[in-house]
Amino acid sequence: MSVSRGEVEHIASLARLKVGPGEIAALTGEMNAILDHMAELREVDVEGIREVVGVVEGGAPTRSPRAGPDPMQRSPAQFAPDWRDGFFVVPRLPAMEGHAGGSGAEGEATS
Amino acid sequence: MTLLPPFPPVSDMARSIRSGEVPPDHWVTESLARISASDEGSRPLGAFVSLVDPHPRTLPPPVDTPWHPSIPLAGVPVAVKDNLATLDLPTTCGSRILEGYVSPFEATVVRRLRAAGAVVVGKTNMDEFAMGSSTENSSVKVTRNPRDRGRVPGGSSGGSAAAVAAELVPLALGSDTGGSVRQPASFCGVVGIKPTYGRVSRYGLVAFASSLDQVGTLGRTVDEAAALLEVVAGHDPLDSTSSTRPVPPMGAADGRGVGGMVVGVPGEYVSDSLDPAVRRRIARALEVLSSGGAEIRRVSLPHTRWAIPTYYILAPAEASSNLARFDGVRYGSRAPGVRDTHELYEATRSAGFGAEVKRRIMLGTYVLSSGYYDAYYARAQKVRSLIIQDFRNVFASGVDVLFTPTSPTPAFLLGEKTSDPYSMYLSDIYTVTANLAGIPALSLPVGSVDGLPVGGQFMAPAWGEEVMLRAARALERGLAEGGA
């Protein structure tokens, strides 16, 4: 199974990566070379074999719904790219383009 | 190259601090001086990406602190891989996207290190987000092999392995998702341990592939690497995948040897494609084990040949999910001058991630996408089940431990494999199976080829660290007595 340039562009979009015109050809070639090796898995008879979800002893663990103590020893103000009044400030969502108002400065939204 | 004189045994270093024979900052000061010297010249070692402030106020507690004998690592300098969260030093994962990021919380393993009296002298270089087998994928700097500075230290825990091998620190933490502690240990000539999945907390380990990642330890000897593992191991309520099983006494030397033990050698791991000089070192190690009373038994792990494709579908798939959090919103770098959030994500991630990380995110996104999930991801999960069953069958047949090469070759040259991603992936051919199966594995030096270290790998059943360490100690002792 091989990927086309169009598919590579689509995958990049899904992954929120921008792949420039100069990179597409190389990346398509690399992915196809790798996927050729991955295709060897078709040789394995997996009839009746269940998928492994993980290797945790006893299966997927659950925990109490009660929240524990806050492990954060620094406020987001010290590491966030933009932090204001208790919110992470981000550029406006594309869907809000052209809408008036909003809780932040013009062109900003808070999350 | 001439390596530095070794630090004393870790137990002696700690004792000298606890007794007041030397000042509390003595070994840390020595370590920092060695690190500085190692980076001089035209080919700096480059093991560390950040170092602790050497000012006395920031070093270990003052001389009147009661050093309790139960603090086994009192004043011992330790290196920590840069994907483990620390409060006092940045955690960059070797990536531009986390340049300068200082974590607001600390990894459980680091807290346990500090509680044992150790001093984290610095964070070590690594392949970006632990994706790589040579540390060449770091966006920060090049790390060189202390045995030959024209060669790679292995990866992705190359900085940690180089730091121990160069006697900059006696102990280091790394992480192992597909061999990233064991392979650099093999390339640098030190001991590296990957524990059973769930033995050590992953809280504060920046996730690459959550069903495969484990924190591992590196040391100059089996005893020292095991002692460090015992310090950091154990249940953590902050990591729901960490086991509640009690931690056995791994640091204590078990002198029983390998008499009566069955050591399995999988035929798939010693095939014709193995470097002949590496094969000879492995054969010599098996002779030592046999002389010690072990039965050497040829076994088969029939699905081994599909381990690399399986791993390189599952690990990127998990990585594509885990690395989605790096989007410029809450932490890390943020691309400037963007119009909207969509552009924020794309511009931040494209500028922040290196080529290999992007390649793996793309692969992972593809194999999880609609129309391809069954052909790739679901199938790989089924093959993983078969690989796990291979190990269970062999151990159930009476084999106590398995012994294999750690890597098909000794350390390769810097730049030798960077143009062909898949040839780099094949470096992990003997190590990925232990991560897929969740079993413990250990690499120790078994000799050298043209001056380059060669590692031999033990693998044991899940929770079998004690039998694995017993075999490793016996081999280490036998090689030292008989010559490798």
Side-chain angles (χ1 to χ4, degrees):
Chain A
M1 221 179 285
S2 63
V3 288
S4 65
R5 287 174 62 128
E7 283 176 310
V8 169
E9 286 171 341
H10 176 61
I11 294 162
S13 172
L14 290 175
R16 298 291 188 257
L17 290 171
K18 191 163 49 178
V19 184
E23 298 172 273
I24 280 279
L27 188 52
T28 305
E30 286 169 0
M31 285 188 66
N32 280 321
I34 294 169
L35 289 170
D36 278 347
H37 291 288
M38 303 310 159
E40 292 171 17
L41 286 187
R42 280 190 236 134
E43 300 166 12
V44 187
D45 180 6
V46 294
E47 185 66 36
I49 303 298
R50 292 182 62 181
E51 297 167 35
V52 165
V53 175
V55 290
V56 178
E57 189 177 40
T62 58
R63 61 175 173 82
S64 163
R66 284 188 308 241
D70 184 356
M72 306 263 283
Q73 299 192 38
R74 287 196 186 90
S75 157
Q78 294 175 276
F79 59 79
D82 196 349
W83 174 263
R84 208 178 302 160
D85 300 329
F87 292 95
F88 293 100
V89 182
V90 295
R92 192 179 290 274
L93 294 167
M96 298 298 290
E97 194 68 32
H99 285 250
S103 53
E106 184 179 351
E108 290 178 333
T110 53
S111 69
Chain B
M1 61 151 290
T2 306
L3 297 173
L4 291 168
F7 281 110
V10 166
S11 53
D12 290 350
M13 293 170 75
R15 194 179 310 118
S16 70
I17 298 283
R18 288 196 301 266
S19 67
E21 179 188 331
V22 296
D25 62 349
H26 175 78
W27 298 117
V28 170
T29 303
E30 172 67 21
S31 171
L32 290 170
R34 290 179 175 215
I35 294 167
S36 176
S38 74
D39 283 341
E40 291 170 357
S42 59
R43 298 200 298 178
L45 188 67
F48 287 84
V49 296
S50 61
L51 292 171
V52 73
D53 181 350
H55 192 283
R57 282 186 287 111
T58 65
L59 287 180
V63 87
D64 58 354
T65 294
W67 290 105
H68 194 277
S70 69
I71 304 177
L73 300 179
V76 175
V78 179
V80 169
K81 187 177 182 181
D82 206 23
N83 59 354
L84 285 160
T86 46
L87 286 170
D88 58 341
L89 292 167
T91 300
T92 72
C93 302
S95 179
R96 276 190 301 268
I97 211 166
L98 286 177
E99 193 173 345
Y101 170 70
V102 182
S103 172
F105 66 98
E106 193 143 86
T108 295
V109 292
V110 175
R111 282 193 293 106
R112 289 178 177 175
L113 267 186
R114 298 195 203 270
V119 179
V120 177
V121 292
K123 306 294 286 295
T124 53
N125 200 21
M126 55 183 285
D127 283 300
E128 187 180 6
F129 287 107
M131 299 183 195
S133 306
S134 65
T135 307
E136 292 172 293
N137 291 330
S138 170
S139 73
V140 183
K141 59 170 66 175
V142 173
T143 300
R144 299 169 184 277
N145 192 310
R147 312 288 175 172
D148 179 339
R149 294 213 182 182
R151 294 182 184 264
V152 302
S156 59
S157 307
S160 285
V164 174
E167 295 279 354
L168 307 183
V169 290
L171 297 169
L173 291 181
S175 71
D176 193 312
T177 303
S180 288
V181 160
R182 291 161 285 151
Q183 185 254 32
S186 174
F187 278 15
C188 292
V190 297
V191 176
I193 305 177
K194 182 204 88 71
T196 304
Y197 184 88
R199 176 70 83 185
V200 180
S201 170
R202 291 183 300 112
Y203 180 81
L205 171 65
V206 177
F208 161 15
S210 309
S211 80
L212 301 162
D213 293 341
Q214 273 293 274
V215 173
T217 62
L218 296 115
R220 300 165 299 172
T221 65
V222 174
D223 279 348
E224 293 192 340
L228 181 58
L229 180 58
E230 189 176 342
V231 164
V232 299
H235 178 62
D236 179 12
L238 295 172
D239 174 8
S240 53
T241 64
S242 70
S243 174
T244 54
R245 284 181 180 240
V247 178
M250 291 184 272
D254 181 340
R256 282 182 290 163
V258 291
M261 206 181 261
V262 178
V263 177
V265 181
E268 293 84 3
Y269 287 61
V270 285
S271 64
D272 293 340
S273 60
L274 179 61
D275 182 309
V278 173
R279 179 195 296 274
R280 284 193 291 275
R281 298 280 72 79
I282 298 301
R284 170 71 187 127
L286 288 168
E287 285 171 7
V288 170
L289 289 168
S290 178
S291 300
E295 176 196 333
I296 310 300
R297 187 186 295 177
R298 184 114 171 161
V299 298
S300 176
L301 297 168
H303 295 92
T304 299
R305 62 176 284 218
W306 293 289
I308 287 287
T310 300
Y311 175 83
Y312 278 101
I313 286 172
L314 297 179
E318 295 189 22
S320 71
S321 176
N322 280 323
L323 270 64
R325 71 194 66 189
F326 300 107
D327 57 11
V329 173
R330 291 160 295 164
Y331 42 70
S333 66
R334 174 186 284 195
V338 294
R339 287 175 311 163
D340 55 42
T341 50
H342 189 88
E343 204 170 291
L344 169 68
Y345 303 150
E346 276 195 353
T348 296
R349 290 162 63 80
S350 302
F353 291 141
E356 181 60 32
V357 170
K358 287 182 194 171
R359 193 157 33 235
R360 294 200 195 191
I361 290 174
M362 295 281 288
L363 272 170
T365 304
Y366 177 69
V367 301
L368 288 171
S369 64
S370 175
Y372 300 106
Y373 177 97
D374 286 332
Y376 289 105
Y377 185 78
R379 176 167 277 269
Q381 289 286 49
K382 292 178 181 180
V383 179
R384 184 177 186 180
S385 175
L386 293 169
I387 290 170
I388 292 170
Q389 196 57 49
D390 282 356
F391 281 105
R392 285 189 181 145
N393 292 344
V394 159
F395 291 127
S397 74
V399 168
D400 294 298
V401 293
L402 294 165
F403 186 71
T404 76
T406 304
S407 178
T409 66
F412 43 86
L413 295 167
L414 286 161
E416 184 178 327
K417 293 184 190 280
T418 49
S419 61
D420 179 2
Y422 203 78
S423 79
M424 186 73 83
Y425 297 168
L426 289 173
S427 301
D428 303 333
I429 197 164
Y430 299 136
T431 51
V432 295
T433 47
N435 301 86
L436 290 168
I439 60 174
L442 174 156
S443 178
L444 77 158
V446 294
S448 61
V449 173
D450 298 329
L452 297 173
V454 171
Q457 173 179 241
F458 283 103
M459 292 186 277
W463 315 109
E465 279 85 349
E466 285 173 286
V467 68
M468 181 179 75
L469 290 168
R470 182 180 142 204
R473 285 186 173 105
L475 177 58
E476 184 182 59
R477 193 167 51 242
L479 288 169
E481 289 168 0

